Amino acid sequence: MPGNFFREEIPASLGEMESLEDLDLSNNQFYGGIPWKSDKLRSSLRVIKLSNNILHGHILSTDFNSTTTLWTLELDGNNFVGDIPNFSTFSSFLTQLDFSSNFLSGKLARWLSNISYLSSISLSNNYFKGTIPSDFCKLHELGFL
């Protein structure tokens, strides 16, 4: 449902959808945080696209750490703050990660180099400091940084 004029919080009831694999709510005006606490949705999701909304808070809560099948995570163009949370233990299939154009800060996460299938990492237009971890050179599938 991208590109509509939804102006509300993302419904928590989406978290009860057991078979949803691809979720695209990008280019709307959703606000608030990412509300899901249910393992039902998190265990089936392959793609999450929440780009270009007005979402805020921390990028993902620690409640989200049971997802094992996520391939694409696009949260760019929002108002997320803080460090990138470590979700390397549950994202072994992740190929695309886009957290660009938020208000993220801190150092770039070295654990990103542990996700061997990453082919695209976009972290531009944030407030990171320090250096690019040399461990990123271990990402043999990486074609876009």
Side-chain angles (χ1 to χ4, degrees), residues 47-128:
V47 175
I48 298 175
K49 293 182 179 183
L50 301 175
S51 305
N52 302 313
N53 282 289
I54 339 172
L55 299 171
H56 65 273
H58 290 276
I59 223 148
L60 291 175
S61 72
T62 54
D63 294 341
F64 208 80
N65 67 5
S66 65
T67 300
T68 58
T69 58
L70 197 59
W71 298 340
T72 300
L73 181 57
E74 296 179 4
L75 303 177
D76 54 299
N78 283 290
N79 296 312
F80 290 113
V81 298
D83 295 333
I84 297 175
N86 186 343
F87 53 91
S88 62
T89 59
F90 67 90
S91 55
S92 59
F93 297 104
L94 194 65
T95 60
Q96 290 184 281
L97 178 70
D98 190 346
F99 292 165
S100 63
S101 299
N102 278 287
F103 295 92
L104 301 174
S105 58
K107 294 184 177 184
L108 291 178
R110 294 183 67 176
W111 58 261
L112 284 170
S113 63
N114 295 331
I115 305 174
S116 57
Y117 295 112
L118 267 176
S119 62
S120 175
I121 302 173
S122 183
L123 302 171
S124 63
N125 297 314
N126 281 292
Y127 295 93
F128 295 114

Side-chain angles (χ1 to χ4, degrees), residues 123-144:
L123 302 171
S124 63
N125 297 314
N126 281 292
Y127 295 93
F128 295 114
K129 60 184 177 184
T131 61
I132 298 171
S134 60
D135 292 349
F136 279 22
C137 296
K138 297 176 186 174
L139 292 168
H140 299 291
E141 300 296 321
L142 193 64
F144 180 84

Side-chain angles (χ1 to χ4, degrees), residues 2-61:
N4 287 286
F5 293 98
F6 294 116
R7 183 165 177 78
E8 60 184 300
E9 291 187 353
I10 296 173
S13 59
L14 284 177
E16 298 302 316
M17 299 179 75
E18 296 181 31
S19 299
L20 186 65
E21 292 182 6
D22 294 4
L23 176 66
D24 189 349
L25 299 175
S26 58
N27 300 304
N28 283 290
Q29 295 180 17
F30 285 107
Y31 56 86
I34 301 173
W36 309 304
K37 295 186 185 292
S38 170
D39 287 337
K40 292 177 184 177
L41 176 66
R42 294 189 311 241
S43 65
S44 64
L45 274 174
R46 306 284 191 274
V47 175
I48 298 175
K49 293 182 179 183
L50 301 175
S51 305
N52 302 313
N53 282 289
I54 339 172
L55 299 171
H56 65 273
H58 290 276
I59 223 148
L60 291 175
S61 72

